[in-house]
């Protein structure tokens, strides 16, 4: 036996495990119902941890609910959001799992639609939304300012109540890639996926292997087809793992958010949640082999040239191991896409159910007269 073989079989042999398990979710949130929203967030994190996941992402503005509208002008909305985060931080919920939560943040007296990363009872970083939705049903720039300092990280001073729990005075604020011990993670938010020059392009070229998207996307007939294609195409050319989370249900106004959270790897769908449901929480998980992502990217020289010359994105080091899952990687699957007739039947029915139980009404009055 050669010396090399002895070393390989000895106690100091290097065993490579690039397997990671990740989670996304559909949450049925209510605008301004902080207690109910927090219960759903906590339940989704518990289910993700129970499944053995090391990373969980959730919908856009999941702490407040997406449809708060002009209540985003009120300081109480931000105060109660931090109260919800304080309850999460002041527990063992984030021990051993990196959590990505959507909430509004006031930074230097400016309102931002943001993602907050939490791990082991500490806030790792805050990522504000870059591109706002301002067409159709959306008027995000009425309530939020888009973050424009793409290449710059600032320090966000935490509320004193949060500092007392975490022992932190400030955390990084801006666009960044989280560099864990064994992989890299980044995120974008809803509308950013639908834009021509989506952030995930630059993030992927800078080495982000897992990219999460917390969304608040409403149901529109056949809109899911476009969403699925965009999610798959986000990794079809550049490789990577893309997690999409969405709200589900009527959160208080005319819109119905149609869930369908999913996970895609290298352009193929690996997991998909339900589009229409009356459940408050649905967690979608997948086991991902990061070596597949690295091989996929390294096999395309043209991508390598673009990556080598791409604009630099700030990096935030995170002392956390994501890999080590012993399960087999999740294989590709065929997406479930409902017929138009099914969408027409399920969408309004689910909206009516949510509106009824939220309004406290006893039922609907259906006039049958044709007069």
């Amino acid at each position: 036996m050669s010396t090399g073989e002895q070393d390989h079989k000895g106690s100091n042999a290097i065993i490579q495990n690039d397997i990671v398990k990740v989670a996304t979710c559909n949450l049925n949130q209510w605008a301004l119902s902080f207690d109910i929203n927090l219960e759903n967030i906590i339940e989704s994190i518990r289910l993700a941890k129970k499944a053995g996941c090391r990373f969980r992402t959730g919908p856009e503005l999941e702490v407040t609910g997406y449809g708060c509208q002009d209540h985003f002008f009120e300081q109480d909305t931000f105060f109660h959001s931090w109260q919800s985060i304080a309850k999460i931080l002041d527990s063992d919920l984030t021990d051993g799992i990196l959590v990505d939560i959507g909430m509004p943040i006031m930074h230097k007296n400016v309102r931002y639609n943001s993602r907050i990363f939490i791990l082991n009872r500490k806030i790792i970083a805050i990522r504000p939304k870059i591109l706002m939705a301002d067409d159709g049903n959306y008027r995000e720039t009425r309530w939020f300012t888009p973050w424009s300092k793409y290449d710059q990280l600032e320090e966000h001073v935490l509320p004193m109540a949060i500092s007392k729990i975490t022992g932190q005075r400030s955390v990084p604020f801006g666009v960044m890639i989280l560099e864990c011990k064994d992989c890299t993670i980044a995120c974008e938010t809803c509308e950013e996926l639908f834009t021509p020059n989506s952030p995930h392009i630059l993030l992927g070229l800078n080495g982000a292997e897992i990219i999460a998207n917390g969304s608040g996307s409403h149901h529109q007939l056949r809109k899911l087809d476009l969403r699925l294609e965009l999610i798959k195409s986000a990794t079809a050319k550049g490789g990577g793992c893309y997690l999409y989370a969405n709200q589900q249900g009527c959160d208080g106004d005319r819109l119905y958010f149609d869930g369908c959270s999913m996970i895609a790897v290298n352009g193929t769908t690996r997991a998909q949640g339900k589009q229409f449901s009356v459940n408050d929480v649905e967690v979608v998980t997948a086991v991902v082999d990061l070596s597949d992502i690295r091989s996929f990217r390294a096999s395309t020289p043209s991508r390598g040239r673009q990556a080598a010359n791409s604009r630099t994105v700030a990096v935030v080091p995170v002392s956390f191991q994501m890999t080590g899952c012993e399960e087999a990687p999740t294989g590709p699957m065929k997406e479930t896409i409902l017929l138009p007739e099914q969408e027409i039947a399920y969408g309004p029915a689910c909206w009516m159910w949510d509106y009824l139980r939220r309004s406290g009404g006893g039922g609907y009055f259906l006039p049958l007269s044709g007069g």
Side-chain angles (χ1 to χ4, degrees):
M1 182 182 293
S2 68
T3 304
E5 288 175 327
Q6 290 176 347
D7 291 342
H8 179 70
K9 294 183 179 181
S11 59
N12 294 325
I14 297 175
I15 301 174
Q16 184 171 343
N17 182 337
D18 293 327
I19 310 297
V20 59
K21 192 169 187 180
V22 294
T24 182
C25 58
N26 295 328
L27 298 185
N28 196 327
Q29 305 299 75
W30 298 22
L32 296 176
S33 185
F34 292 93
D35 290 341
I36 291 176
N37 294 347
L38 179 60
E39 289 176 8
N40 291 343
I41 293 169
I42 290 174
E43 179 64 13
S44 70
I45 298 173
R46 284 176 177 162
L47 291 173
K49 288 183 70 174
K50 185 178 180 180
C53 298
R54 295 289 184 93
F55 176 67
R56 173 268 186 201
T57 190
E60 182 176 14
L61 296 170
E62 57 188 307
V63 173
T64 59
Y66 184 86
C68 296
Q69 299 188 8
D70 281 3
H71 289 287
F72 285 122
F73 291 143
E74 301 169 5
Q75 285 296 305
D76 274 358
T77 304
F78 294 83
F79 173 71
H80 293 313
S81 295
W82 279 116
Q83 283 183 316
S84 297
I85 295 299
K87 291 179 181 178
I88 293 174
L89 288 167
D90 201 20
S91 71
D92 63 357
L93 197 62
T94 61
D95 290 355
I97 185 170
L98 178 60
V99 177
D100 169 26
I101 298 174
M103 64 175 282
I105 296 285
M106 182 82 76
H107 176 67
K108 295 183 177 180
N109 299 326
V110 180
R111 295 182 302 272
Y112 293 101
N113 179 347
S114 303
R115 311 295 304 177
I116 179 169
F117 290 95
I118 301 175
L119 170 67
N120 293 334
R121 313 187 197 195
K122 302 283 186 182
I123 297 175
I124 303 300
I126 299 173
R127 198 280 206 184
K129 191 173 182 179
I130 305 169
L131 304 165
M132 300 290 133
D134 269 325
D135 60 326
N137 294 298
Y138 299 100
R139 294 292 181 272
E140 288 183 359
T141 53
R142 175 176 173 84
W143 307 298
F144 300 108
T145 300
W147 179 256
S148 59
K149 302 175 184 178
Y150 207 109
D151 303 320
Q152 180 180 342
L153 284 184
E154 295 185 354
E155 285 295 310
H156 177 75
V157 179
L158 297 172
M160 290 182 63
I162 300 297
S163 294
K164 289 179 180 178
I165 297 173
T166 66
Q168 301 166 283
R169 182 182 181 275
S170 64
V171 295
F173 186 94
V175 178
M176 78 288 287
I177 294 176
L178 303 184
E179 190 174 67
C180 298
K181 290 181 177 181
D182 46 7
C183 77
T184 49
I185 302 171
C187 71
E188 59 184 10
T189 306
C190 197
E191 177 71 10
E192 294 171 355
L193 171 65
F194 292 82
T195 58
N197 187 18
S198 295
H200 68 254
I201 298 173
L202 181 60
L203 294 170
L205 290 175
N206 271 262
E209 295 165 330
I210 298 173
I211 299 177
N213 183 322
S215 185
S217 184
H218 73 288
H219 172 247
Q220 184 176 320
L221 195 62
R222 312 318 287 167
K223 181 182 179 182
L224 177 60
D225 299 58
L226 171 62
R227 197 188 301 156
L228 287 171
E229 288 305 313
L230 288 173
I231 292 170
K232 289 191 294 182
S233 68
T235 60
K237 291 189 293 183
C241 173
Y242 197 96
L243 288 80
Y244 177 85
N246 196 15
Q247 292 202 36
Q248 188 169 62
C250 162
D251 77 342
D253 65 2
R254 300 170 298 162
L255 302 182
Y256 179 85
F257 299 97
D258 62 338
C260 204
S261 295
M262 64 180 293
I263 301 172
V265 177
N266 294 344
T268 61
T269 302
R270 303 301 172 96
Q272 179 185 356
K274 295 179 181 178
Q275 184 177 13
F276 302 103
S277 173
V278 295
N279 296 323
D280 288 333
V281 179
E282 180 185 9
V283 173
V284 178
T285 67
V287 180
V288 180
D289 189 345
L290 296 176
S291 62
D292 288 342
I293 296 172
R294 293 159 186 167
S295 297
F296 185 95
R297 289 178 170 177
S299 65
T300 309
S302 57
R303 181 208 168 269
R305 283 190 290 271
Q306 286 191 330
N309 293 285
S310 66
R311 205 173 49 173
T312 301
V313 175
V315 170
V316 174
V318 181
S319 182
F320 181 62
Q321 180 180 335
M322 287 283 296
T323 59
C325 178
E326 299 294 336
E327 299 180 43
T330 307
M333 61 166 285
K334 182 176 176 58
E335 303 91 357
T336 299
I337 301 178
L338 301 177
L339 298 172
E341 294 84 357
Q342 292 175 303
E343 287 192 59
I344 292 170
Y346 291 142
C350 287
W351 183 92
M352 291 176 70
W353 163 247
D354 269 340
Y355 192 88
L356 184 66
R357 67 186 181 124
R358 287 179 166 136
S359 66
Y364 289 101
F365 178 73
L366 180 64
L368 299 178
S369 170

